[in-house]
Amino acid sequence: MLSWESKKIGYTGLLKSTLKLAKKAISNAGIKPDEIGLIVHGGVFREHFRTEPAFATHIQGDLGIHCHGIGIDSRSCFSFDVTDGSCSPHIAIQSIADLLPALPSDYALLCIGDDRPTKHCDWEYESYCVVAVIGLSGEGPRCESISYDNSNLTTNLTTIAYFDKSVKGNNFDNAGTVEFLEQQYSKNFFQGHQNWLSGKHMHEFLQLVNKHDDTLEHCIIDRSGKSTTAKWVF
Amino acid sequence: MPIDMLGGANHTQLLSFAGFLPETKVETTSFASPSDLPRSLDFVRLTGILAHREVSNGQGSFELAVGAAKKALSRADLDAKDIDLVINCSVSKMDGKLRQHLSPSFATLIANELQISGAQTFDVSNACAGMLTGLMIAESRIKSGQSKYALVVSGEHITPIIDEAKRRNLYLHPRAMASLTVGDGAAAYILGQSEEAGRIIFSEPITMAQFNHYCIGQACKSHLGVQMRTRAKDMQTAVFDNLGNFLKRSIDYMGLKWDKIDHTFSHPTTPKAVKKGKKIAEEMMGEINFLHNNSQETANTASTTHGIQIEISQNSGHLKSEETALLISYGSGIGILAMHFKIPKGVENWS
């Protein structure tokens, strides 16, 4: 991870914030936007519960990264989204690690965050926007491995979007009741609160990065009970 | 289960694929006859779509995806416990009551239903190009030794956008017209390790994000269900203007010879569009050996189109073991990528 930016955002405006932070992160990484060959966004909630196109394509388009026709030798960028509840950041990092080595570019943009989908949604979450430039080489925290654990998964703890006839608008519902696990922090381990969204998990993790000079395990436990742990080496 | 970010160098193969269609067949003329449409459009002549399939009561994206996954697992002769990676690529994730699933990943629920325990599960979202994006990630995982057997699956319950389009005044909302070209369906692929290199190869994936506003799918703002708004003609032009160069550079990138590709499948927005694409491809690359254009009775099933098309071709006896196939995929965004693979052994005997 060559550079990163994160900040708390309002109910909406994830795209605007992402673009602002992306420009900063790209500049801080000492590269040009056109050197980005892969953009992966991770999150759950999008404005109006949008399903297509991928949010990452809006980021690419508004940053103007390789927004041109396909030539025989032209350079290009590829964009898509991944999601797995609050564990989405780790899935996004892993997807970048999977694909970037096979692409002609050495740099990817990791974007994490959620928008309050509609004004009808009761939004108890704090929304954060996180952007990081990931490189195949260079200085910065290195993600050595990502592990997953589904043993505490409860499959009926789902989140569903639905049309609320009483207000004639779209809302979402978290099924079931969860006794949320609190955040934990020790010398080489950080686990966020179970009710945080993806953006806050990554934001809080990034606040700790500069305080470490060896390793830090970052665990995200989703509302459903499934979890992922990324091992970072500094 | 730890996953090292730097793995070994294995090879990958497609072990099976499956297309799965709901039983209810709906004729295009039953909802898009000339009298229903602006300027008395002959929609069947315009698109080449004769019919599509729709879910029955109690069915949604989930049930369709599970149906396809079971079929693919059976054809690969694998137990659910062998699968260590499940990627879902559905655009819709919608149940019979038109509720959209958000979290945890749809793949998690599909794996649970199939009793696949211990697998990593997540969703990929890249519109109609989502399935090939998911396959590319799975292939990379297997190649690097992080996974042995991967299930890449998608179920699309998207026909509610037809109802939404019909409810709208199509004279005032011509961008809803493309919503009449869709159908429900599902597809699944099983990937595994191989000792032979080159059984699956991907093109360089490209997103032409300057066109990212040409097709937008989201929840209806004031009604139950979903809507899609498409600048269909602009989108088709954007793809066709770039198709020739994409194919030329992709075939070079993948180290293939165009005339050695036995079967070609494009993303069938409509059968008519596939015919137009054929002309462009042949002008740039030469004659196509066998272009499968068989979506006349299934329509555009979003991320699952290729799986359904190759299922129809398999059912028709057109596919033979070890022949080669090229899937060309594009979707809203506009993401475009291709996958070349050897057809799994024993495909002639699949039921």
Side-chain angles (χ1 to χ4, degrees), chain A residues 48 51-52 57 60 68 70-71 74 76-77 79 81 83-84 94 98 102 144 146 148 150 158-159 161 170 226, chain B residues 3 5 100 102-103 105 108 118-121 123 125 140-141 204 207 210 212 217 219-220 242 245 249 253 332:
Chain A
H48 295 299
T51 52
E52 65 173 307
T57 69
Q60 184 191 337
H68 47 67
I70 300 172
S74 61
S76 63
C77 181
S79 302
D81 297 347
T83 182
D84 190 18
Q94 220 180 336
D98 289 332
E144 196 171 63
I146 291 179
Y148 59 91
N150 298 342
T158 55
T159 303
N170 291 286
K226 67 186 298 191
Chain B
I3 297 169
M5 304 300 263
Q100 183 191 342
L102 297 174
S103 179
S105 59
T108 303
Q120 190 183 22
T121 54
D123 294 352
S125 174
S140 166
R141 289 281 174 93
E204 179 189 352
T207 301
Q210 65 272 35
N212 62 20
C220 295
N242 291 283
N245 277 350
R249 70 187 267 169
Y253 182 89
S332 314

